[in-house]
Structure formats: structure tokens, C-alpha cells
Amino acid sequence: HRIFGFETACIAQVTTQSFLDDAVKHSAKAILVNPGLGEIRVSRSPRLAGLAELLSARGIPLIVGHSGGLDWYDLADFCIRFPNLSVLAWEQRCRSNRPLFDALSLASNLAVILSSFWQSQMVEAICNHFGADRLVFSLGLPGLHAASFPAVLSYAHISDEDKEKVAIGNMRNLMKG
């Protein structure tokens, strides 16, 4: 499935509407933004706010990927501002789960990608406290070994129904728009 990357700089030559029209024309199922690349605060970016409104109307999810330290509180503020936008967060390695838990408790439209977590029993913690629909499976490619995360999900102490949601069901629901 195609995912298009979005340029958040307000001086970008392509309008937000033109970008999204082109992405939809080329069957994009989600839009990706990397706030760490330009030290962008997602809650303060005017161009990203305009995109969020358009994505909300079309039911297209936004993937917020970050290779460093994701600002979970800023992301929660952004999600609260756009409650009808499905937001999927990925951080290369989430080192502190407390801000992540706070963000999940504040923003019901925020889901997280499994391969971000390295701490023991995170699948159970998220599924049991926030619901299995807040977690999406990932192999962690290309940076991680593909065999790492199937076992994490397989051995998690959650129901088979919740494992199915995390493995494929939640992603299918996100890509319906």
C-alpha cells in the first residue's frame, strides 16, 4: 500500500490540497510526516494542521514517524485538536513509556506501532489499559530483524481476538478511508 511523505515547511511550492489530491490519485492509503527531521512541533505546524483537516474529512490516517525522541505530549495535543483524524505514531526506539501512556490516555485517536517498544509486557499494558485497537503490528523493517516482533505478539498474554486486531485488523480499519 502506498504511503506519501508530506513536506511540512510553509514555503513548500505544492499546496496541501494539491499534495493530497495527487496522493489519493496515486492510491495512497496513508500520509507520513517525520517531525524529527526538521525539529517540527506537530501541534504548531500550520501546514500540518491544514493537512490534518483534509485527512480527517477523507478518513485517511496520518503516520507520525520519528527516529529520535518523539514528543508524546505535543503529539497528544495535536490529536486532541483533530479528534476525527486517525494518528499512528512510530518511534525508532521508545525509551520512556510514561509519556507514551499519558499521550494514549489523552488522545483516543492515537495508536502506536508495536516495533517501537522494547520494554517487557508493553503489548499487555497497552491492550489491557487502552484497548487492542490502539496498537498496530510492525516487523520493524528495515532497521530491526524481521523475526523479532511476531514472537512478541504471539507470546503476549492477551486474547486471541486482541492478537488478531493487533496483527492485521487495526491496520485494515485505519486504511478504509
Side-chain angles (χ1 to χ4, degrees), residues 8 19 26 29 33 50 54 72 74 86 142 156 158:
T8 58
F19 164 82
H26 287 93
K29 294 294 184 183
V33 64
L54 296 172
W72 291 101
D74 187 54
S86 294
I158 59 175

mmCIF file of all heavy atoms in Angstrom, residues 8 19 26 29 33 50 54 72 74 86 142 156 158:
data_model
loop_
_atom_site.group_PDB
_atom_site.id
_atom_site.type_symbol
_atom_site.label_atom_id
_atom_site.label_comp_id
_atom_site.label_asym_id
_atom_site.label_seq_id
_atom_site.Cartn_x
_atom_site.Cartn_y
_atom_site.Cartn_z
ATOM 1 N N THR A 8 6.326 19.599 5.535
ATOM 2 C CA THR A 8 5.619 20.491 6.450
ATOM 3 C C THR A 8 6.029 21.957 6.329
ATOM 4 O O THR A 8 5.356 22.817 6.886
ATOM 5 C CB THR A 8 5.845 20.051 7.906
ATOM 6 O OG1 THR A 8 7.248 20.044 8.181
ATOM 7 C CG2 THR A 8 5.258 18.675 8.153
ATOM 8 N N PHE A 19 -1.218 18.397 -2.947
ATOM 9 C CA PHE A 19 -0.465 17.236 -2.480
ATOM 10 C C PHE A 19 -1.403 16.074 -2.187
ATOM 11 O O PHE A 19 -1.194 14.953 -2.647
ATOM 12 C CB PHE A 19 0.341 17.585 -1.220
ATOM 13 C CG PHE A 19 0.822 16.372 -0.485
ATOM 14 C CD1 PHE A 19 1.980 15.707 -0.889
ATOM 15 C CD2 PHE A 19 0.108 15.854 0.587
ATOM 16 C CE1 PHE A 19 2.418 14.570 -0.229
ATOM 17 C CE2 PHE A 19 0.532 14.722 1.245
ATOM 18 C CZ PHE A 19 1.683 14.073 0.840
ATOM 19 N N HIS A 26 -2.943 8.616 -6.734
ATOM 20 C CA HIS A 26 -1.973 7.521 -6.835
ATOM 21 C C HIS A 26 -2.213 6.439 -5.780
ATOM 22 O O HIS A 26 -1.320 5.669 -5.457
ATOM 23 C CB HIS A 26 -0.551 8.071 -6.732
ATOM 24 C CG HIS A 26 -0.144 8.805 -7.952
ATOM 25 N ND1 HIS A 26 -0.301 10.171 -8.084
ATOM 26 C CD2 HIS A 26 0.398 8.372 -9.114
ATOM 27 C CE1 HIS A 26 0.132 10.542 -9.265
ATOM 28 N NE2 HIS A 26 0.556 9.474 -9.922
ATOM 29 N N LYS A 29 -2.660 5.229 0.830
ATOM 30 C CA LYS A 29 -3.546 4.802 1.913
ATOM 31 C C LYS A 29 -3.256 5.514 3.229
ATOM 32 O O LYS A 29 -3.998 5.380 4.193
ATOM 33 C CB LYS A 29 -3.417 3.290 2.132
ATOM 34 C CG LYS A 29 -3.918 2.471 0.964
ATOM 35 C CD LYS A 29 -5.398 2.640 0.797
ATOM 36 C CE LYS A 29 -5.927 1.747 -0.304
ATOM 37 N NZ LYS A 29 -7.341 1.950 -0.540
ATOM 38 N N VAL A 33 4.606 11.817 8.047
ATOM 39 C CA VAL A 33 5.362 13.019 8.371
ATOM 40 C C VAL A 33 6.411 12.627 9.411
ATOM 41 O O VAL A 33 6.166 11.785 10.273
ATOM 42 C CB VAL A 33 4.442 14.153 8.883
ATOM 43 C CG1 VAL A 33 3.767 13.804 10.183
ATOM 44 C CG2 VAL A 33 5.198 15.453 9.003
ATOM 45 N N GLY A 50 -3.379 22.128 8.342
ATOM 46 C CA GLY A 50 -4.227 22.125 7.140
ATOM 47 C C GLY A 50 -4.378 20.722 6.572
ATOM 48 O O GLY A 50 -5.478 20.327 6.159
ATOM 49 N N LEU A 54 -7.845 18.078 6.129
ATOM 50 C CA LEU A 54 -8.188 17.378 4.891
ATOM 51 C C LEU A 54 -8.201 15.854 5.089
ATOM 52 O O LEU A 54 -9.089 15.168 4.573
ATOM 53 C CB LEU A 54 -7.200 17.751 3.781
ATOM 54 C CG LEU A 54 -7.202 19.211 3.345
ATOM 55 C CD1 LEU A 54 -6.042 19.481 2.387
ATOM 56 C CD2 LEU A 54 -8.530 19.580 2.716
ATOM 57 N N TRP A 72 5.690 13.080 22.969
ATOM 58 C CA TRP A 72 4.372 12.463 23.118
ATOM 59 C C TRP A 72 3.317 13.458 23.573
ATOM 60 O O TRP A 72 2.153 13.364 23.183
ATOM 61 C CB TRP A 72 4.449 11.273 24.073
ATOM 62 C CG TRP A 72 5.214 10.135 23.487
ATOM 63 C CD1 TRP A 72 6.507 9.780 23.756
ATOM 64 C CD2 TRP A 72 4.749 9.196 22.509
ATOM 65 N NE1 TRP A 72 6.870 8.686 23.001
ATOM 66 C CE2 TRP A 72 5.807 8.303 22.235
ATOM 67 C CE3 TRP A 72 3.536 9.026 21.837
ATOM 68 C CZ2 TRP A 72 5.693 7.256 21.321
ATOM 69 C CZ3 TRP A 72 3.426 7.987 20.933
ATOM 70 C CH2 TRP A 72 4.487 7.116 20.680
ATOM 71 N N ASP A 74 3.253 16.752 22.879
ATOM 72 C CA ASP A 74 2.929 17.573 21.713
ATOM 73 C C ASP A 74 2.039 16.789 20.750
ATOM 74 O O ASP A 74 1.078 17.334 20.200
ATOM 75 C CB ASP A 74 4.226 18.016 21.023
ATOM 76 C CG ASP A 74 3.976 19.011 19.907
ATOM 77 O OD1 ASP A 74 3.321 20.047 20.156
ATOM 78 O OD2 ASP A 74 4.431 18.744 18.780
ATOM 79 N N SER A 86 -7.219 9.791 12.403
ATOM 80 C CA SER A 86 -6.511 8.633 12.942
ATOM 81 C C SER A 86 -5.018 8.904 12.827
ATOM 82 O O SER A 86 -4.506 9.180 11.741
ATOM 83 C CB SER A 86 -6.853 7.368 12.150
ATOM 84 O OG SER A 86 -8.205 7.042 12.320
ATOM 85 N N PRO A 142 13.236 -1.475 8.004
ATOM 86 C CA PRO A 142 14.407 -2.297 7.729
ATOM 87 C C PRO A 142 15.419 -2.307 8.864
ATOM 88 O O PRO A 142 16.411 -3.008 8.794
ATOM 89 C CB PRO A 142 15.007 -1.618 6.493
ATOM 90 C CG PRO A 142 14.711 -0.171 6.708
ATOM 91 C CD PRO A 142 13.352 -0.146 7.382
ATOM 92 N N ALA A 156 2.397 -12.661 23.860
ATOM 93 C CA ALA A 156 1.750 -11.684 24.733
ATOM 94 C C ALA A 156 0.555 -12.331 25.433
ATOM 95 O O ALA A 156 -0.171 -13.138 24.841
ATOM 96 C CB ALA A 156 1.292 -10.472 23.921
ATOM 97 N N ILE A 158 -2.543 -11.789 25.988
ATOM 98 C CA ILE A 158 -3.789 -11.137 25.603
ATOM 99 C C ILE A 158 -4.618 -12.170 24.843
ATOM 100 O O ILE A 158 -4.104 -13.211 24.442
ATOM 101 C CB ILE A 158 -3.550 -9.870 24.745
ATOM 102 C CG1 ILE A 158 -2.783 -10.205 23.457
ATOM 103 C CG2 ILE A 158 -2.814 -8.801 25.556
ATOM 104 C CD1 ILE A 158 -2.611 -9.032 22.498
#
